[in-house]
Amino acid sequence: MTSNILRTAYRRRSSSILSPYQSISTFFQSSSHPQSIDKQQNHVSGFEFISKNAYGFSSVSNKRSTLSCGCCFNNTQMWFSTQTAVEPSTSDGLTVDDIVANQWTILDESESDWKSHASAVAQSIRLIKKRLKWKKLKVRLEMLSIQIEKPDLWHNPVHAGKISREHGSLMGKMKEVNGLERELIDHIDMIKLAHEEDDPDLELESVKALLRMRQSVKEKEHEALLAGEHDSCSCYIEVQAGAGGTESMDWAGMVMQMYKMWAQRHGYGVTVVDEMRGEIAGIKRATLRVDGEYAYGYAKAEVGAHRLVRISPFDSAKRRHTSFAAVAVTPILGDGSHHVQINESDLRIERYRSGGAGGQHANVTDSAVRITHIPTGITAACQNERSQHQNKASAMAVLQSRLDQREMARQAQMNAQYTQSLTDNSFGNQIRSYVLHPYRMVKDLRTNFEVSDPDSVLEGEIDDFILSFLTDSMDKENEEV
Amino acid sequence: MNLSTLTRASSLSTTITSTTLRRSITISSSSLSYTPTSTNPKTPLFLRPPIFTATLTDLQKFQNWAKTLTSSIGSSFKDSDNGPDSTILHRELNWFIEDAVENPNSLLTQSETEIGRVVKLRAELGDLYTLWKQRIEKRRPFQYVVGCEHWRDLVLSVEEGVLIPRPETELIVDLVCDVMKMNEEMKSGLWVDLGTGSGAIGIAIARVLGEFGRVIATDLSPVAVHVAQFNVKRYNLQDKVSVMQGSWFDPLSGFEGRVAGLVSNPPYIPSGHINGLQAEVGRHEPILALDGGEDGMSDLLHLCNGAEFMLKSGGFFAFETNGEDQCRFLVDHMKSVHNNSFCDLKIIPDLAGIQRFVTGIRS
Ligand SMILES: C[S@@+](CC[C@H](N)C(=O)[O-])C[C@H]1O[C@@H](n2cnc3c(N)ncnc32)[C@H](O)[C@@H]1O
């Protein structure tokens, strides 16, 4: 095989997406707990151990297949295997576990050192496996596969649907991780081959491709934190000002702005569905629709009360004020996965009445609609659309999301995973404190994560807060298991 | 146009949503052909080709100027004639820019370094100033300024000379949908929209009809007829909707007793109220579309009488009215004058709770 052929083949499959979270990579290193080392993994660097109770991997049980594959030179064989039977290894027998074990120094991304890239990717893959609870996932998948084989499975279609959906989803995760391992191995093979053939162009390009993988796999690390049923959904973020008049409303407006900018940073679609402005500044409440993959998974980490301490610009005496804004987040479930079937006759649909005779008498561009679900008293409103019909459809979607959320909460019996809709109670659950005076700091009260630059946070740089919370909750979950 | 062309079966797909339609048309606006006449409808702003440019800085300058002008209104329009306050006008301004700029999303994601960036516009920057001035100083309706009205899931072209469809009127289509849900046959029938204006009701009905269903939309105003035709073409409904010029039932001779559904939003404002109307309406919308005679009922009564002989047995009608008094009067009139001709007479409120529509079935 000549380098040229390899090169084209290589180009075709090495396109990767750039991660929007690159800057966060360092965060994980700082929160590691090297003192807790699992027996089976004592060859792994401390960087891996975010969780105190690290989950054991079966690197040993895979050794057999590694050996049998180590001497086999044929890469294509691995490309066609979809299952876990063969652990991929490079032409000279290196597996992903081996790479982790080698503890090659991880340098900054800007250093063009393939070993450093490879080591970083391998670490990420290990972390992803841990977050997915790999061993358990495999056991569960095996169990589901057996169930799916059963001839009487479809006697109960609801159950069967559930089983096959879960099977499909776990299978997808399994394949994705296996794909990552294979991709890493192939990159290394390619780099080594280019080196042997003395083709510096190809070598450079291959190292670059590995770097791209290093960047994109970071995002996968984060996605692995979001394994909840609805985490991949779009969502609504609702912000409500606490007591305290203009100062609180201004704060609620700042919080809303923070989420808008956060969402835009991520390339999510952002729409203000409903907004009630404060008389002088800010908002009384507002609902933001955030469209995109994992919007709910990330945003749900923001649920609770956000506290601001500053000298109020609205206080002529220049006193220090403390204000609150409550945040609720509800997922937008796909058609067919709603938890509540809305009955048309349970709805009261109203237009804000501006007074006057309406109809031909009035020229209006304002066709805000409010829908009340009479049995629960839950309401939803929308005014951002240009027709009444669209405002109604949009408000219906908000209502559906709120009712779904309520039902999920009921089913989970107030499982902490599900947020509550905005009530007075939301202000009781204080999650984060933003201090602008007398010192400057933003601190998450759940994780103790803090930064000293409130401005960047208020401009939407909240990923570190979100990820530290999600990592923390996952660790706690693992501890409980 | 005759019955045979109307009933000619056509299986043209009509299920395009307005968003895809809007997008596809934005790309190929030149393929929109209509016979150029003196009453050639104007192309809505959002459909015009983005052949003008401005720097982001200049556009922002415009935006700031317009915002200041808009804020200065406060609640003065609202206080004088229940017109829009500045909150509503600010929202209109956002939509105006949305329609005028080729890629409005790019404005959101601008960074400091991009200030010198050039954006493509669908009208000259100078025209944007003129148009927004007209909106504020002349109280020219926003929909005429941008040349369109979002109504239900449609984006309809509108211009001076044709009434801007009202949100209340959207409900007529919901009422028609309910009827069709209960009686599938209605989907294949002939529907008539009298005084169609921009074509709003007729087009919306055509989009829920079955393969064999047809709509005749009529209007006395030549401008309305042209604009309605333009909108029918935009939604590719030429085979389903025919627009005819003439007074009320005049263009419908030959269809007596064959109409499955008859809908209308005729002029219903009492003549005496015309002078006190909100500036956007009174100064800019066509009086022919608004003035319903001394008590506002002359056209409505004419339509009631016509419905009796146009509708086939089991046929449905829905009329929009000025409110509770007109609704009651019409129902009484139908019961007393046309006794036994109509059944199932109902008065239905709009979403603001005003008794707005009268519906019934031809016995
Ligand atoms: C209130 S507008 C309704 C327009 C449109 N149906 C809508 O809802 O937006 C009344 C319409 O009736 C038309 N009209 C007035 N007198 C008419 C007549 N004698 N015959 C037919 N149409 C007439 C007007 O031109 C106007 O378009």
Side-chain angles (χ1 to χ4, degrees), chain B residues 21-333:
Chain B
L21 189 78
R22 183 173 162 157
R23 216 173 291 134
S24 65
I25 284 183
T26 316
I27 298 158
S28 61
S29 57
S30 58
S31 68
L32 270 177
S33 61
Y34 48 86
T35 358
T37 62
S38 53
T39 47
N40 203 353
K42 297 189 195 91
T43 309
L45 181 57
F46 83 96
L47 286 180
R48 288 179 215 161
I51 51 176
F52 307 97
T53 53
T55 63
L56 197 55
T57 326
D58 284 343
L59 186 65
Q60 277 167 350
K61 239 183 243 166
F62 161 75
Q63 197 172 8
N64 291 337
W65 166 85
K67 273 185 185 169
T68 313
L69 181 64
T70 305
S71 298
S72 72
I73 299 311
S75 65
S76 56
F77 295 169
K78 191 173 166 55
D79 298 340
S80 78
D81 60 13
N82 211 15
D85 63 16
S86 53
T87 310
I88 290 171
L89 291 168
H90 277 297
R91 194 156 54 213
E92 290 180 6
L93 177 60
N94 288 339
W95 289 334
F96 178 53
I97 292 170
E98 219 168 79
D99 278 9
V101 176
E102 182 193 37
N103 188 359
N105 285 339
S106 71
L107 296 183
L108 284 174
T109 54
Q110 41 134 333
S111 67
E112 295 294 318
T113 53
E114 285 183 301
I115 286 297
R117 204 181 63 196
V118 165
V119 280
K120 290 195 168 166
L121 301 178
R122 302 180 190 283
E124 269 184 277
L125 192 59
D127 289 345
L128 298 190
Y129 281 92
T130 315
L131 288 168
W132 197 249
K133 250 193 186 150
Q134 289 173 348
R135 173 69 191 109
I136 301 295
E137 288 168 9
K138 301 255 187 309
R139 306 273 309 262
R140 187 179 180 206
F142 171 73
Q143 298 90 337
Y144 289 158
V145 168
V146 292
C148 74
E149 159 76 337
H150 291 236
W151 191 83
R152 290 188 68 88
D153 53 348
L154 305 170
V155 185
L156 299 162
S157 171
V158 293
E159 64 183 53
E160 269 81 1
V162 32
L163 185 103
I164 298 157
R166 307 294 199 244
E168 287 87 346
T169 313
E170 289 185 353
L171 284 185
I172 291 191
V173 183
D174 289 333
L175 299 175
V176 169
C177 287
D178 290 347
V179 167
M180 287 182 183
K181 237 178 251 160
M182 284 187 331
N183 181 359
E184 281 281 320
E185 254 175 53
M186 297 293 258
K187 285 191 167 184
S188 323
L190 173 63
W191 286 76
V192 173
D193 173 18
L194 294 172
T196 194
S198 60
I201 310 174
I203 289 170
I205 291 179
R207 280 155 56 89
V208 296
L209 281 177
E211 190 183 340
F212 300 105
R214 290 292 176 275
V215 175
I216 301 179
T218 74
D219 208 291
L220 184 61
S221 148
V223 184
V225 167
H226 278 99
V227 170
Q229 266 160 352
F230 177 88
N231 285 322
V232 167
K233 279 205 188 113
R234 275 233 318 120
Y235 286 93
N236 203 9
L237 291 169
Q238 302 93 301
D239 293 318
K240 277 201 151 349
V241 184
S242 51
V243 185
M244 297 192 212
Q245 192 188 346
S247 184
W248 302 129
F249 299 97
D250 292 356
L252 292 174
S253 63
F255 293 111
E256 289 84 357
R258 310 167 85 154
V259 174
L262 187 100
V263 293
S264 182
N265 171 23
Y268 54 60
I269 299 180
S271 306
H273 293 190
I274 297 287
N275 271 336
L277 285 173
Q278 183 194 336
E280 280 81 0
V281 181
R283 285 191 221 155
H284 297 274
E285 294 198 273
I287 184 107
L288 178 70
L290 304 168
D291 192 338
E294 200 183 335
D295 57 357
M297 298 284 300
S298 33
D299 295 304
L300 276 167
L301 288 172
H302 182 66
L303 294 181
C304 280
N305 301 339
E308 185 176 352
F309 56 91
M310 292 309 300
L311 284 174
K312 63 180 182 189
S313 150
F316 169 83
F317 76 86
F319 299 136
E320 182 173 324
T321 78
N322 200 24
E324 189 170 350
D325 292 349
Q326 290 192 357
C327 280
R328 287 231 188 116
F329 189 93
L330 274 191
V331 169
D332 285 349
H333 171 82

Side-chain angles (χ1 to χ4, degrees), chain A residues 264 270 277 349-369 383-390 392, chain B residues 82 88 91-92 95 99 141-143 150 152-153 164 166-168 170 265-269 277-278 280-281 289-290 322 351-352 354 356:
Chain A
Q264 275 164 12
V270 186
R277 290 177 166 277
I349 304 172
E350 296 158 291
R351 201 177 125 196
Y352 294 138
R353 190 171 174 173
S354 58
Q360 290 166 18
H361 289 265
N363 171 270
V364 292
T365 51
D366 167 45
S367 55
V369 168
Q383 352 73 16
N384 76 302
E385 300 285 344
R386 282 168 78 163
S387 87
Q388 176 177 278
H389 188 80
Q390 310 278 36
K392 185 176 141 192
Chain B
N82 211 15
I88 290 171
R91 194 156 54 213
E92 290 180 6
W95 289 334
D99 278 9
F142 171 73
Q143 298 90 337
H150 291 236
R152 290 188 68 88
D153 53 348
I164 298 157
R166 307 294 199 244
E168 287 87 346
E170 289 185 353
N265 171 23
Y268 54 60
I269 299 180
L277 285 173
Q278 183 194 336
E280 280 81 0
V281 181
L290 304 168
N322 200 24
L351 296 188
I354 296 175
R356 182 66 68 191

Side-chain angles (χ1 to χ4, degrees), chain A residues 226-250:
Chain A
L226 304 175
E229 197 187 344
H230 304 301
D231 282 354
S232 64
C233 291
S234 300
C235 67
Y236 294 105
I237 300 179
E238 216 183 315
V239 178
Q240 189 178 313
T246 300
E247 170 63 11
S248 299
M249 290 181 215
D250 191 49

Side-chain angles (χ1 to χ4, degrees), chain A residues 203-220:
Chain A
E203 190 176 344
L204 189 70
E205 195 183 324
S206 313
V207 173
K208 273 191 193 150
L210 182 58
L211 170 63
R212 282 197 295 274
M213 180 178 184
R214 176 176 173 182
Q215 294 162 337
S216 70
V217 84
K218 270 287 165 212
E219 189 169 1
K220 300 254 157 49

Side-chain angles (χ1 to χ4, degrees), chain B residues 11-29:
Chain B
S11 53
L12 268 175
S13 150
T14 57
T15 51
I16 326 157
T17 67
S18 72
T19 30
T20 44
L21 189 78
R22 183 173 162 157
R23 216 173 291 134
S24 65
I25 284 183
T26 316
I27 298 158
S28 61
S29 57

Side-chain angles (χ1 to χ4, degrees), chain A residues 64-118:
Chain A
R64 198 160 31 96
S65 46
T66 312
L67 286 176
S68 66
C69 192
C71 52
C72 125
F73 211 90
N74 191 353
N75 253 343
T76 47
Q77 188 193 325
M78 286 184 253
W79 273 109
F80 290 126
S81 67
T82 51
Q83 279 293 335
T84 46
V86 194
E87 187 177 344
S89 67
T90 60
S91 53
D92 49 6
L94 201 61
T95 66
V96 175
D97 280 340
D98 295 339
I99 297 170
V100 173
N102 280 345
Q103 297 202 26
W104 291 328
T105 319
I106 297 178
L107 305 167
D108 195 77
E109 278 180 3
S110 57
E111 305 279 336
S112 175
D113 168 22
W114 74 264
K115 281 191 171 172
S116 145
H117 295 336

